[in-house]
Amino acid sequence: MTASTPLNFRKFAALIAAAGTLFWLYTFYFIANVPPGDGSGFHWLAVFPLGMVFGSFFLPAWLLVAIGRLPRFTTAVGLCGLIAFAIIWAQLLNEFPKS
């Protein structure tokens, strides 16, 4: 019998950080293609809370993955960032004009 390999938290944290980064980049595309509402351009203000989540959770996660420190903590920070993205994005989807 062989022992099972332990979960590599550093790779898992990198995958989570990559998912959060890709979602953050996707939000720019989505916001750019929102149907025109009143024409004021205020829908671009949604970039700020999303950017704060990215800067607060995923930039530190990338730094910690890069230096190889605290992999379990980094995984937890990334998961918290994904949860924060989900909460904010759900609220923003209700605010954007429908087509």
Side-chain angles (χ1 to χ4, degrees):
M1 295 180 69
T2 60
S4 63
T5 59
L7 183 61
N8 190 343
F9 282 100
R10 185 175 180 198
K11 288 182 183 177
F12 193 57
L15 287 173
I16 292 172
T21 302
L22 290 174
F23 177 75
W24 179 65
L25 292 173
Y26 167 75
T27 60
F28 287 96
Y29 170 78
F30 184 87
I31 292 171
N33 293 316
V34 169
D38 59 356
S40 64
F42 275 115
H43 59 281
W44 281 105
L45 289 176
V47 169
F48 291 104
L50 295 169
M52 288 186 339
V53 168
F54 178 76
S56 300
F57 292 99
F58 295 106
L59 284 180
W62 277 120
L63 176 68
L64 290 171
V65 165
I67 63 174
R69 300 287 182 161
L70 305 170
R72 291 181 184 184
F73 175 73
T74 305
T75 302
V77 167
L79 288 174
C80 290
L82 290 178
I83 292 169
F85 265 152
I87 292 169
I88 292 173
W89 191 246
Q91 294 294 317
L92 289 174
L93 287 177
N94 291 329
E95 299 294 326
F96 290 139
K98 308 296 185 260
S99 58

